[in-house]
Amino acid sequence: MLLRRALRGESLTLGESGEFKLDETSLARFLVLLLLYTARNERFHGSSFSPFVSSDATLRTYTHPFFMFLASYYLLLATWLETRPAATNASRIELLESLSNNLQDAEGLFGSHWKS
């Protein structure tokens, strides 16, 4: 719960250390260096089992994989936008609009599961 609160941008008081809050750079590093990297290793190196049996799958089952897909897809597009602009026809504004639309669609599809 503490990590979830930190990732949501809440200011946290940690003992005598005072107030702690993750800035945008820290959140981006967490996403790329920890979350996406770990998911990649688990999936592609076979060190994890499927989180569900297909007959037991629910809509909630797909929220995390879908989030990981969106995160990696837009990270790739943002990287291309900066390093190889000809690889995509999108501008920075169009890319942000597309991300916003996809996040809204995901919230509509997954409902309360998206925010839990």
Side-chain angles (χ1 to χ4, degrees):
M1 291 304 288
L2 183 64
L3 181 58
R4 177 188 283 189
R5 291 178 61 195
L7 291 173
R8 287 185 173 171
E10 289 183 40
S11 294
L12 306 171
T13 303
L14 302 175
E16 296 177 11
S17 301
E19 196 169 278
F20 170 80
K21 183 175 182 179
L22 293 174
D23 60 11
E24 287 182 6
T25 300
S26 297
L27 290 169
R29 286 181 177 156
F30 180 87
L31 176 66
V32 174
L33 299 175
L34 295 174
L35 194 61
L36 291 177
Y37 179 79
T38 301
R40 176 211 167 266
N41 278 341
E42 289 177 354
R43 289 285 174 216
F44 293 103
H45 295 289
S47 64
S48 70
F49 295 99
S50 176
F52 57 90
V53 179
S54 59
S55 61
D56 292 334
T58 65
L59 191 57
R60 183 182 174 110
T61 305
Y62 295 97
T63 56
H64 183 257
F66 192 77
F67 171 78
M68 299 301 282
F69 165 74
L70 282 181
S72 53
Y73 178 70
Y74 282 99
L75 176 62
L76 175 64
L77 289 178
T79 301
W80 281 350
L81 192 62
E82 292 297 317
T83 60
R84 299 191 186 327
T88 178
N89 292 333
S91 69
R92 180 180 174 89
I93 291 172
E94 290 169 326
L95 185 65
L96 291 172
E97 287 175 358
S98 174
L99 173 59
S100 178
N101 290 338
N102 277 304
L103 290 173
Q104 286 176 3
D105 289 345
E107 188 174 350
L109 175 65
F110 294 113
S112 63
H113 301 299
W114 187 254
K115 292 185 174 185
S116 60

